[in-house]
Amino acid sequence: MTDRMITTRRGVMGLMAAGAAGIAGACSPRGDNALPDGAISADALRCAEPLFSVSYSDEQRAQLVRSMEGWVTRAEALRAHHKPNALHPAQIFDPRLPGVQYRAQDDVIRNLPGNAGPVPSDAVDIAFAPVWKQAAWMAAGQLTSVALTDIYLDRIERHGAALECFITVTADRARAEARARDAERAAGRVRGPLHGIPYGLKDIIDVADMPATWGATPYRERVGEETAVVALRLEEAGAVLLGKTSVGALAYGDIWFDGVCRNPFNPREGSSGSSAGSASATAAGLCAFSIGTETLGSIVSPSHRCGTAGLRPTFGRVARTGAMALCWTLDKVGPITRHVADTAYVLAAINGGDAGDPASFDHGFACDFARDLSGLRLGYNPEWLEAASELDREAFEAARSLGARPVPFNVDDMPYAALLIQLEAEAAAAFEELTLSGQDSELRWQDDVAWPNTFRRARFISGVDLVNVDRLRRQVMTMMAERMDGLDAVIGPNFAGNMLLITNYTGHPQLALRAGFESQRTRTIFGAPADDSEETFQVPYATSLWAPLFEEGTLVSLGHAIEQRLGVAGTRPSDFS
């Protein structure tokens, strides 16, 4: 989950604010309202009513007291029953609306993004090269997996500690895998374009017998028992695992149990979250690509800060079997790369459903880099662009120069912040044991907006409100389907118009791509200045593309073309070049 969710989370907190403020005046913590042996009394119910914005009469409270004992017993039994993190709810979210036909696609990537040219002599140039070029050099016999893996392991050894972007480095395993991939290639067996390409895996995704700490102190000794489907698919594709990248504890932020992951363009600040290490390591040339996850901005936000290309796929397109669950109806797995085109190659390798993830399904993924973009129907909101950075407007003009046809786009006025009730409830359920056991106090980040306080507050979410939030979600899904109808893509600032929040809940794909650089003071995780220093740094700035469900191919082909026009994707962080 991302730093950017804090703005909308304040809206959810506001739903309780008036009631919570009234509790102090209505009830005292001792005296008449003290409950003997934890018993429920009419006074206790009266004190709790403001939390839920309800008000009952004395007669109604008395009736409730008589019926509460069995209700509490059932709740206590439920809490005591073991529910592992991997256990999915029976109700499964599906972004596909009834009666809507989604375009079938072949699993194919057509036409190379460009000419790879000869392999550079400088190891740094090789490290920062796009994956598609590295693959072409290997295919031509100009580069080996062993050589490329050694380049990245050397860079991790020299720069990893400064960035705090890796939790576990598996050097011996990586070299063994690289030797095996080279031997396979020599024998004429090539598994695909990722054959021999080294990558980093976010440390909430399990690999058997390898640490998988979830970035959190209570789990720092945790070791994966089975290998996640995503990791298996990358292994089958021939990719080489360098290690596990750092993650904000329990997939929120950039603070993990032993550090704060850094932005390579300004190492004084964190890299945002929660795919913090994946974005940082990729941007700094410590791996060819990485895998991130997103619940609400955890691919988009660190890509924005670190300058990577982050592709959040359609919900359900990539199976999450073997990955830590934070929010079953929102979690997604996707690629983080330095260049937009590379996201297609990674997504093609990890695409598809799995029986271990009941919310996943199979849908083909096709991408054509020679696609004619003239006449592409591109949604845009003039108000968003007017209030946006000049870099967002330059990206929009680049799209227009490619022949895209702008079409006005907007979203309905709805209480979108209320949707966060669902995320907070599911996250609190996923980590109920931490809250009830008191282990939540072991997490490093203990601010009001951090998980421990959020998990505790979620115990007061009304079941009725939770159901109604899901009904609101259905309305939002229907609205977005109508707004996207007839469009090929939408362009705009990453966080404008509630689009990050809306599209995460509707399951629509989003691509964040580097649009340029801007001068910024060192920032906190939430984007505010971190100190009183007036010193500024040139840091990346991303803009975003959204598309209808399953149309990631459009995002990549259009995003790659925009990236080529803007010409800023190749700029490296000076401290790590």
Side-chain angles (χ1 to χ4, degrees):
M1 194 171 63
T2 175
D3 59 333
R4 293 288 177 163
M5 72 177 289
I6 184 60
T7 301
T8 45
R9 282 184 66 186
R10 288 195 180 109
V12 173
M13 294 167 69
L15 296 176
M16 300 180 180
I23 291 176
C27 305
S28 62
R30 296 184 178 275
D32 293 342
N33 296 304
L35 304 180
D37 300 322
I40 295 176
S41 69
D43 279 347
L45 293 177
R46 177 174 57 84
C47 292
E49 287 169 14
L51 280 172
F52 303 98
S53 297
V54 296
S55 179
Y56 299 128
S57 67
D58 289 343
E59 181 180 359
Q60 290 167 336
R61 293 186 193 109
Q63 188 177 39
L64 283 169
V65 167
R66 293 195 298 271
S67 63
M68 276 290 186
E69 184 175 350
W71 183 88
V72 171
T73 299
R74 291 192 295 271
E76 290 175 344
L78 176 62
R79 293 182 186 185
H81 181 71
H82 179 56
K83 302 174 290 295
N85 179 267
L87 180 65
H88 287 254
Q91 298 185 56
I92 304 301
F93 175 69
D94 190 335
R96 299 169 295 186
L97 290 170
V100 178
Q101 295 295 318
Y102 299 97
R103 184 176 68 90
Q105 301 175 45
D106 296 328
D107 290 307
V108 61
I109 297 175
R110 295 182 176 89
N111 302 302
L112 277 176
N115 182 8
V119 64
S121 58
D122 189 334
V124 177
D125 292 337
I126 296 173
F128 279 96
V131 168
W132 68 267
K133 285 190 176 185
Q134 294 172 344
W137 294 330
M138 286 190 190
Q142 300 176 20
L143 179 67
T144 66
S145 179
V146 167
L148 185 57
T149 298
D150 281 339
I151 287 173
Y152 283 127
L153 288 174
D154 177 67
R155 291 184 60 78
I156 291 171
E157 185 175 357
R158 288 190 289 120
H159 302 304
L163 291 172
E164 302 180 74
C165 58
F166 274 90
I167 293 179
T168 302
V169 179
T170 55
D172 291 344
R173 174 184 175 132
R175 289 191 172 99
E177 289 185 357
R179 288 193 297 270
R181 298 296 85 78
D182 284 340
E184 289 175 348
R185 187 181 292 277
R189 182 191 175 197
V190 178
R191 303 181 181 212
L194 297 185
H195 188 105
I197 303 292
Y199 79 101
L201 184 66
K202 185 175 179 178
D203 201 31
I204 65 168
I205 301 175
D206 282 1
V207 174
D209 303 319
M210 187 182 295
T213 70
W214 300 350
T217 304
Y219 303 101
R220 64 185 304 167
E221 303 301 326
R222 184 180 176 277
V223 175
E225 296 181 0
E226 298 181 356
T227 300
V229 164
V230 167
L232 284 174
R233 288 177 178 166
L234 287 170
E235 181 180 351
E236 292 166 358
V240 173
L241 178 60
L242 295 167
K244 307 295 281 296
T245 56
S246 57
V247 50
L250 306 182
Y252 184 10
D254 48 30
I255 301 173
W256 54 287
F257 64 79
D258 201 28
V260 179
C261 185
R262 306 291 171 176
N263 176 6
F265 286 90
N266 176 12
R268 300 185 187 185
E269 68 183 10
S271 61
S272 180
S274 67
S275 301
S278 292
S280 175
T282 304
L286 273 58
C287 56
F289 70 91
S290 59
I291 297 296
T293 68
E294 173 154 325
T295 303
L296 187 58
S298 289
I299 289 175
V300 172
S301 187
S303 291
H304 175 71
R305 184 163 289 197
C306 296
T308 50
L311 177 58
R312 184 193 74 220
T314 299
F315 179 90
R317 178 186 269 287
V318 180
R320 304 162 299 178
T321 311
M324 184 202 87
L326 177 66
C327 183
W328 294 276
T329 69
L330 284 169
D331 297 342
K332 296 159 285 283
V333 180
I336 295 177
T337 64
R338 283 182 295 277
H339 299 268
V340 169
D342 295 339
T343 63
Y345 292 94
V346 181
L347 181 58
I350 64 177
N351 183 48
D354 177 75
D357 179 358
S360 66
F361 41 78
D362 292 321
H363 195 97
F365 168 63
C367 180
D368 186 354
F369 288 104
R371 174 178 176 175
D372 183 4
L373 299 174
S374 61
L376 181 144
R377 297 157 297 181
L378 183 65
Y380 79 105
N381 187 301
E383 293 181 2
W384 297 353
L385 287 178
E386 183 178 351
S389 164
E390 180 63 29
L391 297 172
D392 290 303
R393 291 188 285 273
E394 289 177 7
F396 174 66
E397 291 303 323
R400 292 184 62 181
S401 72
L402 293 164
R405 178 167 61 86
V407 179
F409 172 87
N410 61 19
V411 295
D412 289 354
D413 185 16
M414 295 187 186
Y416 296 113
L419 292 169
L420 291 165
I421 291 173
Q422 190 168 37
L423 187 159
E424 296 192 5
E426 288 192 40
F431 291 99
E432 178 182 60
E433 185 177 349
L434 277 186
T435 303
L436 298 183
S437 68
Q439 285 183 290
D440 54 356
S441 62
E442 297 177 18
L443 297 177
R444 286 186 61 192
W445 193 23
Q446 292 286 332
D447 289 352
D448 291 353
V449 296
W451 278 144
N453 186 58
T454 300
F455 292 165
R456 297 170 199 141
R457 186 177 68 232
R459 308 302 306 195
F460 297 97
I461 292 173
S462 159
V464 175
D465 288 339
L466 187 58
V467 171
N468 281 329
V469 163
D470 209 33
R471 297 171 72 195
L472 169 64
R473 187 174 187 176
R474 175 66 67 172
Q475 286 183 312
V476 177
M477 292 166 63
T478 302
M479 179 274 295
M480 275 298 291
E482 294 171 352
R483 294 292 182 272
M484 284 283 192
D485 187 34
L487 296 178
D488 296 299
V490 174
I491 191 170
N494 306 305
F495 311 109
N498 284 307
M499 282 292 281
L500 181 78
L501 176 64
I502 291 170
T503 55
N504 265 290
Y505 274 83
T506 59
H508 285 81
Q510 179 173 357
L511 172 69
L513 68 147
R514 187 188 296 184
F517 289 82
E518 61 181 7
S519 182
Q520 286 276 359
R521 295 166 59 186
T522 297
R523 296 162 289 183
T524 68
I525 187 174
F526 303 121
D531 50 43
D532 294 332
S533 172
E534 296 296 327
E535 184 179 8
T536 60
F537 300 82
Q538 287 295 110
V539 292
Y541 182 94
T543 198
S544 275
L545 296 171
W546 297 268
L549 298 180
F550 308 112
E551 296 300 334
E552 289 87 348
T554 299
L555 294 184
V556 176
S557 57
L558 175 60
H560 170 68
I562 293 173
E563 181 181 82
Q564 295 296 102
R565 288 291 174 98
L566 296 176
V568 295
T571 303
R572 306 170 187 172
S574 58
D575 291 347
F576 304 95
S577 297

